[in-house]
Amino acid sequence: MEASDPSSLLASDMEEGRIVTLSQCEKETAVSPTLSSGTTFVSSTKTSRGVEDSPKGFPYVASYLDSDDSFMIYRRFGFLHARLLLNKQDELRTLESDLRAVDRQDWNDASRRKYLKSRTKDNARELAANATSRKQLLETIEKKTLEYGQLLLQAQQLVSLNRPANRDHRSVINMMENHTPLFEAEASFIYEKEDLITLRPGRETAFLDAFVERMLQMCHCKPIQRMFCSEETRRKSDDVNLHYFTRERINAFVTFIITCFILVVLIVPIWALYHITTNTNGSATSPTCLGVLLVSTLIFSAILSLFTKARRHEILAAAAG
């Protein structure tokens, strides 16, 4: 049997339409499920390779965690970082004491004080066989200090990461318990809730997003599915217990809700003040207007506090404006 020319095979495949481009293979979007009976899947723009296509075990878990940003939940190992930091801190404490002792010895001897004033003379001097030079000691301190600083910054970055939302944490737990891809010891990390972090960046409307997802799940029907689920997302599964929703459409709906709230809070007080000033006498106008302004300001501040992650000074500035 003669070997075929690869270029000729490629040409024939292209003519017969058997070549599929990479962009055609990657059109599906990933899902963000809350994995339980009758719960919500929210699709994101993340490319999915198919969780079910991965073999059971760590490949399956890795595919699931990578299927959506909400599932990127891992341990930060806070206890181990604390132990390593304490160990390196104590090593540096010992080296610091050794350096101070060397400096003190040279200072107490008048003939050796010159070594404290000149680095060149200090490096060139002769020492006893088992003695450690100041240069060697400083090199060791430099190495340990850099390791300590790197570990310290790494621990700070891990602590600053967000904690996973309860619904995302429950999703991964349900996947572990329903599919059992790992042994009990390997899957136990997901139950270390206080030590878990998520790589998903924080959203400004996370509370409202979760509320909308729960409402869509409770009111799940074909019109809702067509409105909040794209064609690509509907192809993900035929399971009636898995409700898929496209994340971009939910984000747009949440933005619409917040915009409506803001418009109501801004327009209703103006309308109320207009009718108060035109339909009441001057004696009742001032107290009533102050009450309307106070209530509208409180509602506006509550919306900013609940639906966004605005800081206190930002809420105060917006309310004062």
Side-chain angles (χ1 to χ4, degrees), residues 181-198:
L182 303 177
F183 291 135
E184 184 177 356
E186 283 75 8
S188 62
F189 78 93
I190 198 60
Y191 298 103
E192 301 286 344
K193 186 175 182 180
E194 295 299 322
D195 196 51
L196 294 177
I197 57 173
T198 178

Side-chain angles (χ1 to χ4, degrees), residues 66-134:
D66 187 56
S67 64
D68 189 83
D69 295 345
S70 302
F71 299 148
M72 291 184 174
I73 300 175
Y74 305 95
R75 287 191 61 184
R76 65 182 178 90
F77 291 101
F79 172 76
L80 295 182
H81 276 88
R83 285 297 304 270
L84 290 173
L85 284 171
L86 288 173
N87 182 70
K88 291 189 175 297
Q89 176 180 271
D90 195 64
E91 289 180 348
L92 286 173
R93 179 192 61 81
T94 303
L95 292 171
E96 182 184 25
S97 299
D98 295 341
L99 180 61
R100 290 182 181 275
V102 172
D103 293 341
R104 194 178 302 110
Q105 290 175 2
D106 289 343
W107 178 255
N108 292 334
D109 190 343
S111 63
R112 293 162 55 181
R113 291 183 180 178
K114 59 184 178 180
Y115 299 131
L116 293 173
K117 301 178 180 180
S118 174
R119 183 181 59 86
T120 304
K121 292 182 179 181
D122 183 56
N123 294 338
R125 70 170 171 172
E126 296 181 359
L127 298 173
N130 296 328
T132 301
S133 66
R134 186 181 285 102

Side-chain angles (χ1 to χ4, degrees), residues 3-102:
S4 300
D5 184 13
S7 60
S8 62
L9 291 176
L10 180 61
S12 62
D13 287 343
M14 293 180 64
E15 292 175 357
E16 296 178 10
R18 291 199 296 263
I19 300 298
V20 182
T21 62
L22 183 62
S23 59
Q24 292 173 330
C25 296
E26 295 182 346
K27 285 185 178 180
E28 291 189 344
T29 56
V31 296
S32 171
T34 305
L35 187 58
S36 60
S37 177
T39 50
T40 303
F41 279 62
V42 182
S43 172
S44 68
T45 57
K46 193 178 182 68
T47 302
S48 174
R49 294 183 176 87
V51 176
E52 292 77 11
D53 296 336
S54 301
K56 283 294 181 67
F58 279 106
Y60 182 88
V61 176
S63 298
Y64 181 83
L65 297 182
D66 187 56
S67 64
D68 189 83
D69 295 345
S70 302
F71 299 148
M72 291 184 174
I73 300 175
Y74 305 95
R75 287 191 61 184
R76 65 182 178 90
F77 291 101
F79 172 76
L80 295 182
H81 276 88
R83 285 297 304 270
L84 290 173
L85 284 171
L86 288 173
N87 182 70
K88 291 189 175 297
Q89 176 180 271
D90 195 64
E91 289 180 348
L92 286 173
R93 179 192 61 81
T94 303
L95 292 171
E96 182 184 25
S97 299
D98 295 341
L99 180 61
R100 290 182 181 275
V102 172

Side-chain angles (χ1 to χ4, degrees), residues 240-261:
V240 295
N241 293 323
L242 304 180
H243 303 158
Y244 290 82
F245 297 107
T246 305
R247 186 175 300 280
E248 286 75 13
R249 298 189 180 185
I250 289 184
N251 292 343
F253 184 64
V254 169
T255 303
F256 173 76
I257 292 176
I258 294 177
T259 303
C260 291
F261 273 127

